[in-house]
Amino acid sequence: MAEEKATAQVEETTNATTQEAAQETPKQQDPQEFLENFNWEKYEQGIEKVDDTKLKEFEELVAENFVDTADEEVVEGTVVYLTDREAIIDINAKSEGVISLNEFRYNPDLKVGDKVEVLIDIREDKSGQLVLSHRKARTIMAWDRVNAAHDKEEIVSGFVKCRTKGGMIVDVFGIEAFLPGSQIDVKPIRDYDQYVNKTMEFKVVKINHEFKNVVVSHKALIEADIEEQKKEIISQLEKGQVLEGVVKNITSYGVFIDLGGVDGLVHITDLSWSRINHPNEVVELDQKLNVVILDFDENKSRIQLGLKQLEKHPWEALSDEIKVGDKVKGKVVVIADYGAFIEVVEGVEGLIHVSEMSWSTHLRSAQDFVKVGDEVEAVVLTLDREDRKMSLGIKQLTPDPWTDITTKYPVGSRHKGIVRNFTNFGVFVELEEGIDGLIYISDLSWTKKIKHPSEFTNVGDTLEVEVLELDVEGRKLSLGHKQTTENPWDKYESEFAVGTVHKAAITEIVDKGATIDFNEDITAFVPQRHLEKEDGKKLGKGDEAEFKIIEFNKDFKRVVASHTAIFREEEQRNVKAAAKRQAAAADEAKPTLGDANDALQALKDKMEADSKKK
């Protein structure tokens, strides 16, 4: 209703003004001048009246010069004034509109006279001001522009608003597009913040219409130029050529060098003649340096570069005064299981094998002698300048302890040593640095049955030993521990002789019999058939009884006993005695030859008497 009333008032005022203008100005008045001279106050008071002809003329002027301020319509306006916070836009409406400069952040170069697209947001706010929106207008038009730019592969301008996870947010035509970090530049980006609040050119590379997502790339714009430069550079590459490049990226295995659009790799081993742990010890990012082309593939897509090759090899500069037998000093740069590498001079290394670190034949790890960074002195053992190899030794700095071994450790002498290592067959004992001896497992104890040396002793323990054998050429010592004590089996040989009887309890029942412990050293075996008691039952675990020794072997420490033999032997004695008595009685009952003759004579006499009677 207010809008209709205002229109009616405009019509009436226009009629009055038109009549006055017709009387005063016979010629057609300029529309702009007419609007400026129109008396709105008289019109509103009803003083001025306009005839129909002039009213029609006025309506035509309004239609020609004023836009319809309908909502949701995009129109073009002109920037007529700029303040610190706002832009005043003329859209040929009754009044000028106001837009916050925040909507023009993508265009920091906005100036008076620029044409901009706007949407009428509020036709008249509380203060009667026309409120416009540039952002909404851009959004309405944006998707058509973005799609067109994508289809035609056109370059678009965008304003980098802020950082986000994995990249940047860019305002393109009022749409927030995603710029991945990998698409900012052909070089790795370390500082994303340097691009914030900057206007840059982009290429629309992907549009997701379903989710209204847009992906842009700045890298794509410069790749074409780089590709041309790359082809030109590659065509001129030659092995041995020295080029200037910039360190583009540093990895644990090498350095990537930008040769002006073409990347090459300097492997860590080609950075320095000296051994290094990481490339950043030699170069840093964005550093300019000269490199030499070592090799490349057929397509020249993989270029191998070198830095150290620009300098003379350290071995060529090695002093001629160094020779075998000389003492040298150096720093431990690498430790391996088999030895340590010593840098004698920069770029020249020698190997100290672990066997050359100590006179001991019992080899240990190199870490037991040195650590990385140690300054050590060594003797040059071999020197091959052609193959650039050098072997060093530390033990040669001290006398060889085996030179007077026969004097220090004669066979039969007794000493104390430290247990250094175990094997399945024995124990290595160190008598002094460089002098190790082996105690076989059978020479550890006279009485104990040891399956592994760890059952008897521990690494680091001190043992008393006796030298059993000495091999000077083979640098071997055979030691014994049990020989330092008396062999108890010499005494047990008579104490537990075959036939002796001892009292003990059954310790354990096993498959083929049982075991009994006569003392802490003697464990005897009782076969199954020798467990039978006199009443026919068998002895069980814990039963105490007498046992007779039926076998004793000192060398193999084997003792066999029997309970059954005790009463069986008594039975055998009784049987033998009874048999003897029976034999004696039988002998007494046997007839003699004389007795037989007497019987025969008597029988003959009887037969003759019977014959006479007949």
Side-chain angles (χ1 to χ4, degrees), residues 285-302:
L285 287 172
D286 300 324
Q287 178 183 347
K288 289 185 178 180
L289 42 75
N290 290 330
V291 291
V292 61
I293 298 177
L294 302 180
D295 200 2
F296 46 74
D297 58 9
E298 293 182 359
N299 300 324
K300 296 183 180 179
S301 58
R302 295 183 179 180

Side-chain angles (χ1 to χ4, degrees), residues 48-65:
E48 298 287 349
K49 292 186 177 181
V50 183
D51 61 18
D52 292 340
T53 303
K54 293 298 181 182
L55 181 59
K56 185 176 180 180
E57 182 182 348
F58 178 77
E59 289 175 349
E60 291 176 354
L61 291 172
V62 171
E64 181 181 349
N65 292 278

